[in-house]
Amino acid sequence: MMKVSNGGCVRHLGIRSMAAARTRNIVAVLAIALTTLLFTFLFTIAASINYSFQQENFRQAGGDFHGTIKELTWEQVEEMRTDPLIREDFARMFVGMPADPPFNKSHVEVSYLEPAAAPHYFCQPAEGFLPQEGTDEAATDTRVLALLGVEPKVGAKFTLSFYLDENTPSRKLVTRTFTLSGWWEYDSAIVASNVLLPRSAAEELCALSSDDPYSMTGVWNLDMMFQNDLHIEENVLQVLENHGYQHDDLLAENYLRIGVNWGYSGAQLSNAFDVTTLMAIVVLLLLIIFTGYLIIYNVFQISVTNDIRFYGLLKTIGTTGKQLKRIIRQQALLLSLIGIPIGLLLGFIIGNKLTPVIMSQLSYKNTFVSFNPLIFIGAALFALLTVFLSCARPGRMAAKVSPVEAVRYTEGGAPKKTGKRAAARSGESGASLPKMAWANLGRSRGKTVVTVLSLTLAVVLATITYTFSTGFDMNKYLAHMADVDFILGDAAYFQTSGGFRTMDEAVPEEIISDVNARSGIEESGRIYGGVSAMKQFVTEDWLRMGYGMYNSPETVDEIIAGTSRLPSGLLEAGVQMYGMEDFPLSLLDVLEGDLAPLSDPSQKAIAAVYLSDDYNSTQWDSNWAKLGDTVTIRHVTEMEYFYRDTGEIIEDLDAAIEGTRTWGERAKVYEDVDYTVCALVRIPSSISYRYRVLGCDDFILGAERFRQDTGTDSVMTYLFNTTDEAEPDMEAFLAEYTESVQPLYDYESRATYVAEFESFRSMFLTMGGALSFIIGLVGVLNFVNAVLTGILTRKRELAVLQSVGMTGKQLKTMLVFEGLYYTLLSLLVSLVMTVVLGPLVGSAAGDIFWFFTYRLTVTPILLVLPVFLALGIVVPLLVYRSVARHTIVERLREAET
């Protein structure tokens, strides 16, 4: 066969035919732009939120390093940093923490940081420089300086008192005066402020440490950066293995603690990546492609249907099916060159505008808009892929049509075989306007299905979004956080490393009286904290498991050897005890048993506390005591101290603290009380001690029994609820009271948790609402396109109907019925999909969010019903109005030419 070079001719035909269909071009460009906008919007939002999310998490995690090997000696640091897997590394030595006013409400850490690490810890001075070796210099942020009353000026002197060996019995207060070498702006997203010292000064201070095995003073951490943020944990573990260490066996001699920066979403994705995650990503991408496919396919399908006579005539003069496909692809590409840039620009603008809104609703302090070029490349490629997928079937349709069929073609006009019964039924029932309209939808079922699906998708997405946002159960959320209006306590209790430890941190009755003097308090109660020495008795295996979490096997052996043992073999262990009045008891989550015995001081009843994981599931191995067990608590009134290596009694405790030998403590004068476990409970985290002590279990006594048996009455927190009317006044009172009158104390309110919850729910509404709106535009554009081309391709048919007696009113009524059928079918399918898919989505959401409760709702469907009815009526009438401007004769002649 002779080949003819006719590519230029085919391109010319495609361009000229495209130029003749201006209305189709506008609709197609809008469809492609809208699809590209959808991709760009989602990619921009996702990339910006992910970047902002990471930056926020980095600040909360303390830095943007990939991973950390913790609690090392300097020799181990030097050994580890030679590993070839590590691209960049930097070491940090912890020194101490200030805890007394004015830092009782702020978390501040004093440490030495290698200079290269400063940017990674967000400690790069905005003015000045990092402290120089051999000087008294220090660098810090503006919050620390403000608390000290020091102007941020390089060279300024400031005095800082802080504790070495913090959170140990041997902690020591030291005071030093420093010269400010540099400072940076305080970032409210960062949990802890830093005071950076030169290494020489840090080592001098660490030499004063008591070397308590639980102390962090003088401990080195090695922070590492790898080639990328995927598989961070695997890389850290490989570094350990390369140097003969491991992280699996807590009791092994070569055990080392590690940390993986949870701020990196790449690490989270790689850790959680499984078949389900892959399927979720694929389904999401397919859903987006399908959304764009619906509208672009419909545009080209209708365009080919409208131009079918033109393609038939081209075939009569020798144009091949392959060339017709090329013409359609060429038109799609040219339209994409216009529509895709428009969509990229609009999508990026909308995404950038919505990102700060969404991030603010998530209560993030910092918002970063991502300008990653992959956003535009990915959106453009996905949009182009969608365009070519969408025009493939219309191209095949144009290629297969015969010239004779094309000239006689009317949409859905191919004769259908009908049986005698169907013909008889049709003849008996006659032709009514609703039936004619229904029959017209069936003439092009593919177009009808695509149009209905595009409208349905928007409604279903809006319904799922609404179901999500209304399904987040505030009662469940607040129950986990303690459903109480106000919690009042010492300022240290609310700090990151806070909690309750000594009677100096107790809430005085004077403050409670001041609060109770305010009107509107409905119910209230005290939680007493343990400030006296209390011991329990557990098995050796249980105690080893507790201490082994963060200690070497040698240290655990030493602790066990120095622990008092009963004749039965049980070992003495620590206990965190609560004393609760009735109101706090009512806030507990009772797993088994009954709390009533705790309110009766004549009964020796106790409740065992169990912990929860991140999904609010009970950790049943977090306490040894079961319902009905006897728990023996040793209430100690006098302790004695001894050296662990020899058992020698310590006469001078201060000397032992200053010394290097490890020492322990045990009861000397005490009373043992046997309690019966009446309930197994979980304590909401917001009213707990807010920290865990190794080797300790948590228990609860009734308030009166607690005061009687311990001989103490130190109030850890005071909880109370107010009337709705009194809540704003109480909030304002406590804010002023804890700021000006009693600055050593602080509070948390229910309003804080409600605001967090509402911001989380609003984020879903904003994202889902924006996505529903864009997909809704796709559906409406599809609907308008379907009605428009449906009427235009039937101009001759409609003119014939009018010529044989159908009035204009009847014709408009039939077209309105067609429009209503489209919209009502969409709502019906949406309702069915909501009923079918709703429980599945609800179950998946419940697995992810423990405070989600699925509730079937059709509210979005009812809300869009009047909108869809209006569309079904108005759009056909407007299209018919443009057609009816020409007379019947003109329309008949136009169709024949």
Side-chain angles (χ1 to χ4, degrees):
M1 179 183 289
M2 183 175 64
K3 293 184 178 181
V4 180
S5 179
N6 54 13
C9 180
V10 171
R11 284 193 296 273
H12 183 69
L13 267 175
I15 294 172
R16 293 297 295 271
S17 64
M18 188 176 74
R22 293 182 180 178
T23 303
R24 190 284 308 268
N25 294 341
I26 293 173
V27 173
V29 168
L30 282 175
I32 295 170
L34 203 56
T35 301
T36 311
L37 184 151
L38 180 64
F39 283 116
T40 311
F41 164 76
L42 289 176
F43 291 171
T44 301
I45 289 286
S48 297
I49 288 180
N50 179 64
Y51 187 71
S52 300
F53 175 76
Q54 287 194 154
Q55 291 299 318
E56 185 88 1
N57 286 344
F58 293 158
R59 283 157 172 77
Q60 293 180 8
D64 65 358
F65 42 83
H66 287 157
T68 304
I69 303 177
K70 303 180 178 182
E71 300 175 16
L72 302 173
T73 64
W74 178 246
E75 290 72 24
Q76 288 173 317
V77 169
E78 291 186 312
E79 175 190 357
M80 297 288 183
R81 68 191 339 168
T82 61
D83 196 279
L85 276 177
I86 302 174
R87 176 172 58 86
E88 184 181 2
D89 67 84
F90 27 84
R92 176 178 187 256
M93 181 170 64
F94 181 83
V95 178
M97 294 175 59
D100 299 330
F103 298 105
N104 57 318
K105 296 183 181 181
S106 303
H107 185 95
V108 179
E109 296 181 358
V110 181
S111 60
Y112 162 70
L113 201 63
E114 291 185 332
H120 296 280
Y121 276 84
F122 310 105
C123 295
Q124 190 68 31
E127 294 287 341
F129 44 85
L130 293 173
Q132 302 298 304
E133 286 300 323
T135 67
D136 65 349
E137 294 175 344
T140 188
D141 64 33
T142 51
R143 180 177 69 162
V144 173
L145 295 174
L147 290 171
L148 292 171
V150 176
E151 182 182 355
K153 185 176 180 180
V154 174
K157 297 285 186 178
F158 67 96
T159 300
L160 183 68
S161 295
F162 53 96
Y163 287 95
L164 306 177
D165 303 323
E166 176 65 7
N167 296 332
T168 70
S170 53
R171 74 172 186 165
K172 177 187 298 182
L173 182 66
V174 296
T175 301
R176 294 290 185 274
T177 298
F178 300 104
T179 300
L180 186 65
S181 66
W183 57 269
W184 55 91
E185 291 291 338
Y186 166 63
D187 188 335
S188 60
I190 296 178
V191 174
S193 292
N194 283 285
V195 177
L196 302 183
L197 308 180
R199 180 170 178 175
S200 53
E203 289 178 339
E204 178 189 344
L205 287 164
C206 291
L208 303 176
S209 170
S210 66
D211 294 327
D212 187 293
Y214 301 110
S215 173
M216 295 300 296
T217 297
V219 169
W220 288 91
N221 286 350
L222 180 65
D223 301 312
M224 300 167 289
M225 302 292 287
F226 301 107
Q227 292 301 319
N228 55 60
D229 61 7
L230 298 176
H231 313 295
I232 292 177
E233 183 174 6
E234 288 86 343
N235 287 335
V236 176
L237 293 176
Q238 186 61 53
V239 171
L240 291 184
E241 183 180 339
N242 292 345
H243 297 273
Y245 297 95
Q246 53 81 36
H247 182 68
D248 296 323
D249 186 0
L250 296 173
L251 303 180
E253 183 177 353
N254 62 342
Y255 173 82
L256 284 178
R257 290 181 61 205
I258 67 169
V260 175
N261 194 330
W262 48 269
Y264 281 99
S265 43
Q268 297 179 21
L269 180 62
S270 64
N271 288 337
F273 199 80
D274 53 18
V275 176
T276 304
T277 306
L278 177 62
M279 288 180 61
I281 295 173
V282 171
V283 167
L284 178 61
L285 291 176
L286 289 177
L287 178 63
I288 299 171
I289 292 175
F290 180 65
T291 302
Y293 173 84
L294 287 177
I295 183 169
I296 300 174
Y297 164 78
N298 215 18
V299 169
F300 281 97
Q301 177 75 7
I302 293 170
S303 173
V304 169
T305 301
N306 200 27
D307 295 339
I308 200 72
R309 293 184 180 84
F310 170 70
Y311 296 127
L313 291 173
L314 287 179
K315 272 204 162 184
T316 62
I317 61 173
T319 308
T320 64
K322 186 177 181 181
Q323 289 171 330
L324 291 178
K325 288 181 182 179
R326 193 190 307 166
I327 288 173
I328 293 173
R329 285 198 301 269
Q330 174 189 304
Q331 292 178 355
L333 182 59
L334 290 174
L335 293 170
S336 297
L337 291 177
I338 302 172
I340 288 178
I342 295 173
L344 290 174
L345 179 62
L346 293 178
F348 186 70
I349 292 173
I350 295 173
N352 281 354
K353 294 295 183 183
L354 277 181
T355 296
V357 175
I358 294 169
M359 298 308 293
S360 65
Q361 290 173 346
L362 287 172
S363 301
Y364 274 27
K365 309 293 190 305
N366 300 289
T367 299
F368 302 88
V369 177
S370 176
F371 293 92
N372 194 327
L374 291 177
I375 294 174
F376 304 100
I377 296 172
L381 289 177
F382 271 100
L384 202 58
L385 173 64
T386 306
V387 169
F388 281 112
L389 287 175
S390 303
C391 66
R393 192 168 182 273
R396 289 196 300 271
M397 175 184 171
K400 289 180 180 179
V401 70
S402 69
V404 176
E405 290 175 348
V407 173
R408 297 177 177 176
Y409 183 84
T410 301
E411 182 185 58
K416 296 181 181 178
K417 295 181 180 180
T418 57
K420 293 181 180 180
R421 292 184 181 179
R425 285 196 301 270
S426 177
E428 291 170 2
S429 59
S432 64
L433 294 177
K435 289 182 180 179
M436 290 177 66
W438 182 258
N440 287 335
L441 260 65
R443 294 167 65 178
S444 182
R445 294 178 181 174
K447 183 184 76 174
T448 302
V449 169
V450 170
T451 304
V452 169
L453 277 179
S454 61
L455 289 171
T456 298
L457 195 60
V459 178
V460 170
L461 183 59
T463 304
I464 290 176
T465 299
Y466 185 81
T467 301
F468 252 93
S469 59
T470 58
F472 292 123
D473 194 325
M474 186 181 293
N475 291 329
K476 283 186 178 180
Y477 183 82
L478 292 179
H480 183 64
M481 302 301 295
D483 191 7
V484 59
D485 290 345
F486 295 97
I487 304 173
L488 180 64
D490 187 89
Y493 173 80
F494 300 102
Q495 293 306 303
T496 305
S497 61
F500 182 81
R501 292 177 174 84
T502 69
M503 62 179 62
D504 293 335
E505 299 171 351
V507 181
E509 287 298 324
E510 171 196 352
I511 292 179
I512 295 176
S513 298
D514 289 345
V515 171
N516 289 338
R518 310 288 299 182
S519 61
I521 295 180
E522 291 184 314
E523 49 191 350
S524 62
R526 298 165 178 80
I527 296 181
Y528 296 95
V531 294
S532 62
M534 284 177 273
K535 301 293 182 180
Q536 62 168 331
F537 298 95
V538 299
T539 63
E540 182 174 331
D541 288 342
W542 182 263
L543 195 59
R544 281 186 177 277
M545 185 177 70
Y547 280 119
M549 293 178 63
Y550 299 107
N551 288 291
S552 67
E554 292 80 11
T555 301
V556 173
D557 289 340
E558 191 174 331
I559 293 173
I560 296 297
T563 301
S564 298
R565 189 185 297 264
L566 295 179
S568 62
L570 295 179
L571 295 176
E572 184 181 85
V575 60
Q576 287 194 135
M577 187 69 73
Y578 299 82
M580 292 192 181
E581 294 183 343
D582 289 344
F583 176 56
L585 287 175
S586 70
L587 302 174
L588 302 179
D589 179 13
V590 180
L591 305 172
E592 294 180 20
D594 183 15
L595 294 175
L598 295 179
S599 300
D600 182 358
S602 65
Q603 298 192 44
K604 295 181 180 180
I606 197 169
V609 178
Y610 283 75
L611 305 180
S612 304
D613 61 20
D614 292 338
Y615 296 95
N616 205 37
S617 298
T618 303
Q619 295 178 314
W620 289 103
D621 60 350
S622 56
N623 198 313
W624 63 268
K626 307 302 179 186
L627 194 65
D629 283 354
T630 297
V631 178
T632 300
I633 299 297
R634 175 165 290 179
H635 297 280
V636 183
T637 54
E638 185 180 345
M639 300 289 294
E640 67 178 6
Y641 304 92
F642 61 96
Y643 289 111
R644 291 189 182 277
D645 52 358
T646 63
E648 175 190 353
I649 301 299
I650 297 173
E651 300 295 339
D652 186 350
L653 183 59
D654 291 335
I657 293 174
E658 294 288 342
T660 58
R661 296 170 65 185
T662 58
W663 53 274
E665 60 180 18
R666 60 188 170 219
K668 183 177 181 181
V669 180
Y670 58 85
E671 178 186 5
D672 289 343
V673 180
D674 293 334
Y675 301 94
T676 301
V677 177
C678 65
L680 311 182
V681 302
R682 297 189 305 184
I683 299 180
S685 60
S686 57
I687 61 172
S688 69
Y689 272 98
R690 302 192 178 199
Y691 67 89
R692 292 281 295 169
V693 177
L694 290 181
C696 289
D697 299 294
D698 290 17
F699 293 94
I700 301 171
L701 294 174
E704 191 171 340
R705 187 84 212 182
F706 178 92
R707 293 194 302 268
Q708 173 185 320
D709 292 351
T710 66
T712 64
D713 58 357
S714 296
V715 178
M716 179 169 69
T717 51
Y718 182 59
L719 320 180
F720 57 97
N721 282 340
T722 64
T723 61
D724 292 341
E725 296 77 17
E727 190 170 345
D729 290 339
M730 182 62 75
E731 182 91 31
F733 164 74
L734 288 176
E736 173 64 22
Y737 187 77
T738 56
E739 184 68 28
S740 303
V741 182
Q742 294 286 356
L744 298 182
Y745 298 88
D746 209 344
Y747 76 99
E748 285 180 352
S749 68
R750 186 177 188 272
T752 304
Y753 304 132
V754 172
E756 290 176 357
F757 177 84
E758 290 297 342
S759 68
F760 184 80
R761 182 161 61 182
S762 296
M763 182 269 293
F764 276 92
L765 276 175
T766 303
M767 280 286 291
L771 195 58
S772 299
F773 178 75
I774 293 174
I775 295 179
L777 284 180
V778 171
V780 170
L781 189 57
N782 245 342
F783 172 69
V784 171
N785 194 30
V787 172
L788 174 66
T789 54
I791 293 175
L792 292 178
T793 55
R794 291 184 293 152
K795 279 195 295 186
R796 183 176 183 277
E797 177 185 317
L798 299 178
V800 169
L801 288 174
Q802 284 187 286
S803 68
V804 296
M806 179 177 279
T807 66
K809 182 179 180 180
Q810 289 174 321
L811 190 57
K812 286 188 285 187
T813 302
M814 182 186 73
L815 295 175
V816 166
F817 271 116
E818 289 182 21
L820 290 175
Y821 284 148
Y822 276 122
T823 55
L824 293 177
L825 273 174
S826 300
L827 292 178
L828 179 61
V829 175
S830 300
L831 179 62
V832 173
M833 291 183 68
T834 297
V835 173
V836 173
L837 297 178
L840 299 177
V841 174
S843 176
D847 291 338
I848 299 172
F849 305 105
W850 53 265
F851 52 93
F852 182 87
T853 301
Y854 172 70
R855 300 179 183 90
L856 177 64
T857 178
V858 294
T859 301
I861 296 177
L862 296 177
L863 290 176
V864 300
L865 177 60
V867 178
F868 274 30
L869 290 177
L871 282 174
I873 296 171
V874 173
V875 173
L877 290 179
L878 290 176
V879 175
Y880 175 75
R881 183 179 179 183
S882 66
V883 172
R885 291 174 183 171
H886 303 280
T887 66
I888 297 174
V889 175
E890 288 174 334
R891 280 181 274 155
L892 287 171
R893 286 177 178 173
E894 182 184 349
E896 290 173 356
T897 58

